[in-house]
Amino acid sequence: MEQEVVTTKRQNPDDAAKDLISQLKNPLDSYKAVIFMAAINYDFEALSIAIKNEFPRAEVIGASTAGEINMNGFLNDSVVLTTLSDNSTKVSGVLIENGSKYPIGNKGDIEKALSKAGIAVGDSNSHRNAFAITFINGVYNAEETILTTFYSIIKNDNFPLAGGTAGFTGNTPKTFVSYNGKTTQDGAVMLYVKTQCKFDIRQEDIFNPVGKQVFVTEADPVNRIVSKFNGRPAKTVYAEMLGVSESQAEGMTFENPFGKHLNGSVHIAALAGFTPDRKISLFARVVPNSTLEIMKIGDPLKKADDTCSGIKSVIANPRFTLMMTCITRTMAFERMRIADKIIEKYRGTFPTFCGFSCYGEQIGRMHCNQTLVTVVIGN
């Protein structure tokens, strides 16, 4: 297994593609998969085509970002491209379109891509030597729908999946994902990987429960809005749980997200904001008649140490590392002035790595927020 990571800030799509290619060391036909992550200010469709034209034999997937990551740190206004090379590994991609309404319409394409990668639908052991990387558009709240569709097709709840929601910066809500030069703004791209190499997929959560819970009595899961906790306005109850006024609570949403219980674990659901009628909008679905934990931020540097040591205990010799981290984490690390220290810990663990700041993270069937999802492959 071999990974290369290259970066450019050239804005013209053709120039950017050529600059990226010029930095690669191996012959272009030696790469099995190419993954690129581009700032939203690029002409994403033109960039996708330009990059694919350089790699006619590789599976090429891409996503727009809210920031990029390489060994130099957390970046902006750039394109980061990484390659995967390994003779024992099979890869196959698929573009899922109309993801917010009819993702099941892509069932045949998904099954074909899985088969091409040597992954059998309905195989209870398919998770032992295969996994999926997915990038999902971030404007249509379709993450849960797309994940549910995929798992209904593969029929193996243990199949590993790691993903990030495509991001954007600025005030115009638009995100892009692409597969082999074709782009969509409502859907997802998936890369299926079957390999003899050892791999590790995990999620880092920097939050801890504070011992306070709220009961969801009224919510709109599709639009990700909670109206009432414990039979009362959601914003009012949230502020009371934090012991602050409602206006003060508006500035505490990053440090105090919600935790959802599922299969014995707590998964983060971040607050997107408050409505004038004291409802709470979220970045992940919450269903009525469920219980949420109030969470509090812990020590990100300690969590980074735990993540890195945990990965190294499984993958002693990391050869490929892809990271998808929530944009709110990136912004918080900058405010806390620890962004460089976080990158230093990654540099001390991985020979090379890359990733992007996203609008949500996927781990298996779960869509979460304010976490880090990593894909690490060894020899």
Side-chain angles (χ1 to χ4, degrees):
M1 178 63 61
E2 182 178 0
Q3 177 184 26
E4 292 184 61
V5 177
V6 294
T7 305
T8 186
K9 283 186 171 291
R10 295 189 181 181
Q11 284 295 305
N12 178 276
D14 291 328
D15 292 345
K18 292 185 184 305
D19 188 27
L20 293 166
I21 295 304
S22 70
Q23 300 174 56
L24 294 173
K25 300 176 182 178
N26 294 318
L28 298 188
D29 61 0
S30 68
Y31 302 114
K32 287 288 185 74
V34 174
I35 302 170
F36 72 93
M37 298 143 283
I40 198 66
N41 56 334
Y42 281 85
D43 182 335
F44 192 86
E45 184 174 6
L47 179 65
S48 299
I49 294 171
I51 291 176
K52 175 56 184 176
N53 286 343
E54 299 288 351
F55 298 95
R57 297 183 60 182
E59 296 287 88
V60 181
I61 69 170
S64 62
T65 78
E68 305 77 55
I69 302 169
N70 68 11
M71 293 190 70
N72 293 321
F74 295 95
L75 313 175
N76 291 290
D77 302 325
S78 66
V79 181
V80 173
L81 181 147
T82 187
T83 61
L84 182 153
S85 305
D86 183 71
N87 290 332
S88 68
T89 297
K90 290 183 178 181
V91 299
S92 180
V94 63
L95 188 69
I96 299 172
E97 299 185 272
N98 299 311
S100 63
K101 295 181 180 179
Y102 312 112
I104 195 63
N106 300 269
K107 181 175 183 290
D109 293 334
I110 293 171
E111 291 175 336
K112 183 178 179 180
L114 285 166
S115 177
K116 184 179 177 181
I119 302 169
V121 169
D123 181 0
S124 61
N125 292 312
S126 62
H127 61 285
R128 299 186 185 279
N129 60 0
F131 62 91
I133 296 172
T134 181
F135 301 149
I136 304 177
N137 286 118
V139 177
Y140 294 93
N141 295 346
E143 289 94 340
E144 291 94 346
T145 301
I146 290 171
L147 292 177
T148 299
T149 298
F150 171 70
Y151 278 96
S152 72
I153 293 170
I154 196 167
K155 296 181 176 64
N156 181 355
D157 286 349
N158 293 317
F159 191 84
L161 180 149
T165 300
F168 67 93
T169 52
N171 297 321
T172 303
K174 60 178 180 179
T175 62
F176 302 93
V177 299
S178 71
Y179 169 60
N180 282 349
K182 186 176 181 180
T183 298
T184 185
Q185 293 190 63
D186 179 15
V189 60
M190 287 188 168
L191 183 72
Y192 306 126
V193 181
K194 185 172 183 179
T195 181
Q196 297 178 21
C197 300
K198 199 167 187 178
F199 61 87
D200 179 90
I201 292 174
R202 69 179 61 210
Q203 185 177 50
E204 177 187 282
D205 176 1
I206 60 175
F207 297 91
N208 303 306
V210 301
K212 296 181 179 181
Q213 299 179 333
V214 292
F215 184 74
V216 182
T217 48
E218 188 175 316
D220 177 353
V222 175
N223 293 305
R224 298 176 175 172
I225 294 175
V226 176
S227 301
K228 292 183 179 181
F229 289 134
N230 307 332
R232 301 169 59 219
K235 183 179 182 181
T236 301
V237 175
Y238 177 71
E240 289 177 356
M241 288 291 179
L242 297 180
V244 299
S245 68
E246 291 187 21
S247 61
Q248 288 175 316
E250 294 179 3
M252 300 175 68
T253 56
F254 173 78
E255 289 79 6
N256 299 101
F258 295 118
K260 301 189 298 181
H261 289 273
L262 184 69
N263 298 329
S265 300
V266 178
H267 300 270
I268 299 299
L271 284 75
F274 304 96
T275 67
D277 53 353
R278 293 184 290 177
K279 297 177 182 178
I280 298 177
S281 59
L282 302 169
F283 285 114
R285 290 182 183 176
V286 167
V287 298
N289 302 316
S290 63
T291 299
L292 302 180
E293 295 277 351
I294 303 294
M295 309 294 284
K296 182 176 178 61
I297 191 171
D299 183 347
L301 293 173
K302 173 63 167 56
K303 289 283 187 176
D305 283 334
D306 292 344
T307 296
C308 291
S309 62
I311 292 171
K312 286 299 289 284
S313 71
V314 177
I315 310 293
N317 184 24
R319 303 291 295 171
F320 177 96
T321 302
L322 179 68
M323 302 176 171
M324 291 146 284
T325 188
C326 188
I327 180 58
T328 56
R329 283 171 45 110
T330 305
M331 295 170 65
F333 294 163
E334 291 173 352
R335 290 196 304 270
M336 298 166 72
R337 298 182 179 180
I338 61 171
D340 290 343
K341 293 180 179 179
I342 294 288
I343 293 295
E344 284 177 11
K345 293 181 182 297
Y346 299 157
R347 278 199 298 259
T349 305
F350 310 109
T352 188
F353 60 85
C354 68
F356 70 106
S357 296
C358 53
Y359 268 46
E361 305 79 57
Q362 293 81 52
I363 182 86
R365 298 179 68 98
M366 286 298 301
H367 166 63
C368 307
N369 312 114
Q370 296 184 197
T371 66
L372 165 72
V373 170
T374 56
V375 179
V376 180
I377 310 174
N379 288 329

